Amino acid sequence: MADSQQILDPYEFLKIKLNPDGSLTRLAPLPSLPATPELTSNSHHQPSLSKDIPLNPSNNTFLRLFRPASPPPTSQKLPVVIYFHGGGFVLFSATSFPFHDSCACISAQSPAIMISVEYRLAPEHRLPAAYDDATEAVLWVRDQALGINGCDEWLAELADFSKVYLMGSSAGANIVYNAGLRALDLDLDPIKIVGLILNQPFFGGVERTESELRFKNDRIAPLVANDLMWSLALPEGSDRDHEYCNPLRDEYVSRNDKIRRLPRSLVRGYGGDPFVDRQKEFADMLEKQGVQVIKKFDDQGYHGVEVFDPKMAQVLYDDVKSFIWSSVINKL
């Protein structure tokens, strides 16, 4: 998906406008889909039910819960997947149609309870705001398991709180990694995070990789656009070697004791993605620290391919199902 035409204006490419107060006007947001808590008249095209639940009203964050439209046998509890959407930390929503559809399909096919997090976007809320929201979401699930202020009826009926996964694509996968590290410091009993699912994780760095240079004018993720997103997302005054962006810098070895405690992880990527070199290096780093890593790198495909190619989307759903249920079997 490389394009020889030089991308000159990253703001125009991303269809965003920076306002004098530092906020963004997002000129072309993806269409949003409403939650559908009941079966509709077109129910044969409705794999899952969904509903929205407030997370932190003061931050305008919420959770979109998904459950299979056809429930499993009453004796079967379902794993819980806490999901974070992509968009370079500056774009999109849990309600955006590609992420809604993806969660709906994974919920039905795995099957699983999906909890998609509406986290705060940069630059209005720079990192670590998204990580803070992710941590709140994990603690919300713990509190549901404890019955604090009651438990949502879908979770009470279907959720297996001993089998919780964190999943994200692109920037969402970056959130998974950082939220996974944070979760190691939390008292999460009785829930247990047993796996991380990182689809095309979004990392960067000051020094360019070979794949970044080869695909610098990529039609989906050109470097100038990604540099801009990092400049909008990272703490003021930071460069792309900040730990939120570049987890492989030598000065972050102090995190190694924590990294090796991360659960089993699935890392996915594609040969046509400018960030594939970083994704492979990241997977190798996890493995070196002793994390059990399942690597799924396909020579075909590009960044965000699942949004555009239903067949590749189905491969993702199959990989997620396989990873979740192989983890369940390993625990038996």
Side-chain angles (χ1 to χ4, degrees):
M1 293 294 292
D3 189 337
S4 60
Q5 181 180 359
Q6 177 66 46
I7 306 296
L8 294 177
D9 186 344
Y11 287 94
E12 182 178 343
F13 178 85
L14 294 170
K15 298 181 174 59
I16 57 176
K17 178 183 176 183
L18 187 63
N19 300 317
D21 64 357
S23 67
L24 286 184
T25 299
R26 296 162 177 87
L27 300 169
L30 291 176
S32 289
L33 292 180
T36 51
E38 307 287 345
L39 286 172
T40 66
S41 58
N42 198 23
S43 59
H44 61 289
H45 291 305
Q46 187 180 352
S48 301
L49 306 180
S50 56
K51 64 181 175 182
D52 294 336
I53 295 177
L55 178 59
N56 186 331
S58 65
N59 290 333
N60 294 316
T61 55
F62 63 86
L63 307 169
R64 177 161 287 189
L65 273 62
F66 296 80
R67 60 169 290 175
S70 300
T74 53
S75 60
Q76 181 183 351
K77 296 287 189 176
L78 301 182
V80 176
V81 181
I82 306 174
Y83 177 83
F84 305 94
H85 67 80
F89 301 106
V90 303
L91 296 171
F92 310 141
S93 165
T95 69
S96 298
F97 80 87
F99 310 118
H100 176 100
D101 283 354
S102 183
C103 287
C105 290
I106 293 171
S107 177
Q109 294 183 27
S110 284
I113 297 292
M114 298 290 292
I115 302 177
S116 186
V117 181
E118 178 76 351
Y119 57 86
R120 288 170 292 171
L121 298 179
E124 294 88 349
H125 306 282
R126 291 177 175 267
L127 294 174
Y131 306 152
D132 294 342
D133 298 340
T135 302
E136 276 197 299
V138 171
L139 291 173
W140 181 89
V141 174
R142 180 204 64 184
D143 290 350
Q144 292 290 298
L146 290 170
I148 295 176
N149 299 320
C151 181
D152 174 79
E153 59 182 351
W154 289 3
L155 297 179
E157 176 190 352
L158 293 173
D160 183 345
F161 291 110
S162 71
K163 300 180 181 67
V164 176
Y165 297 80
L166 306 183
M167 175 183 176
S169 291
S170 192
N174 176 302
I175 295 172
V176 165
Y177 173 62
N178 284 281
L181 290 173
R182 284 185 171 205
L184 297 171
D185 293 329
L186 303 174
D187 178 4
L188 296 180
D189 191 56
I191 75 169
K192 185 170 179 59
I193 297 175
V194 296
L196 307 181
I197 302 170
L198 304 101
N199 181 44
Q200 300 174 270
F202 181 47
F203 295 117
V206 172
E207 185 176 345
R208 304 299 193 188
T209 66
E210 189 278 332
S211 61
E212 286 174 338
L213 293 174
R214 178 159 39 101
F215 297 110
K216 67 178 182 178
N217 295 319
D218 184 69
R219 287 190 288 172
I220 302 298
L223 277 189
V224 291
N226 289 290
D227 288 352
L228 174 59
M229 287 192 287
W230 279 119
S231 73
L232 295 171
L234 289 169
E236 291 277 9
S238 302
D239 66 19
R240 293 190 307 278
D241 280 337
H242 190 283
E243 62 183 322
Y244 297 159
C245 180
N246 187 356
L248 301 181
R249 293 283 290 180
D250 289 343
E251 61 259 42
Y252 306 133
V253 295
S254 60
R255 302 175 103 186
N256 287 351
D257 286 342
K258 189 175 287 188
I259 291 170
R260 61 177 56 104
R261 294 165 50 207
L262 289 172
R264 186 168 179 260
S265 299
L266 170 64
V267 183
R268 303 179 78 258
Y270 298 100
D273 186 342
F275 314 118
V276 68
D277 288 350
R278 294 191 186 278
Q279 293 157 5
K280 290 179 177 179
E281 291 171 1
F282 171 76
D284 290 344
M285 179 272 288
L286 293 182
E287 199 168 54
K288 182 179 178 182
Q289 293 304 322
V291 179
Q292 184 181 356
V293 182
I294 310 300
K295 302 175 184 177
K296 299 280 289 189
F297 287 95
D298 190 335
D299 288 340
Q300 304 301 313
Y302 49 89
H303 198 76
V305 64
E306 299 93 352
V307 175
F308 307 96
D309 186 334
K311 291 183 179 179
M312 297 297 272
Q314 188 59 53
V315 172
L316 169 63
Y317 306 155
D318 291 343
D319 284 350
V320 171
K321 179 178 181 179
S322 175
F323 179 76
I324 288 175
W325 289 103
S326 63
S327 297
V328 171
I329 291 170
N330 288 342
K331 295 294 180 182
L332 295 179

